Amino acid sequence: MQQLAVWRVPYDSEVSHTVAVVTAELVANAVTHGRLPGRDFRFSLLRLPGHVRVEVTDARPERLLPTVPAAEVRSLEADSGRGLLLVAAYAERWGCEVRDTCTKTVWAEIACPY
């Protein structure tokens, strides 16, 4: 997260850790669920007033995310299924937008006082 350092967000801060966790989850979802042969995903990190915004765009607009993570909690032994719960817990806001016919963007905003 070199970009956070450029924005003067301390490396070992809660903001830095939160951005890393949210980024890892959204990118992992794009790689796992948003892939098409020959098409990659795009990752963007934006500085907004009071927030850092993580955006991950993939090639599967037909696979929309639920607006609220599933209420049921997966078994602790399950390998997957809890990632969006983490995103919802860490992010101030998050969502999914279809901006064109070929892509969707999942985004999360993390509060940043720096």
Side-chain angles (χ1 to χ4, degrees):
M1 293 287 168
Q2 183 176 351
Q3 184 60 52
L4 292 178
V6 171
W7 293 333
R8 302 193 187 285
V9 175
Y11 173 75
D12 206 22
S13 67
E14 185 175 335
V15 172
S16 180
H17 290 292
T18 300
V19 169
V21 168
V22 169
T23 298
E25 180 55 36
L26 295 184
V27 167
N29 283 348
V31 169
T32 304
H33 305 292
R35 218 172 19 172
L36 286 174
R39 308 262 318 267
D40 284 328
F41 67 91
R42 181 179 62 235
F43 164 73
S44 300
L45 192 63
L46 307 164
R47 183 70 167 109
L48 304 174
H51 292 86
V52 171
R53 183 175 172 115
V54 177
E55 292 185 350
V56 178
T57 302
D58 68 41
R60 298 297 298 265
E62 75 280 5
R63 289 191 173 183
L64 292 176
L65 298 177
T67 55
V68 178
E72 69 276 354
V73 176
R74 292 275 185 118
S75 163
L76 293 177
E77 290 80 34
D79 290 334
S80 64
R82 295 179 296 277
L84 290 179
L85 292 173
L86 285 172
V87 172
Y90 280 115
E92 292 235 332
R93 297 181 331 127
W94 72 280
C96 179
E97 301 171 357
V98 174
R99 296 179 178 163
D100 60 46
T101 59
C102 298
T103 63
K104 79 166 174 298
T105 299
V106 182
W107 57 269
E109 292 180 354
I110 295 102
C112 182
Y114 304 102

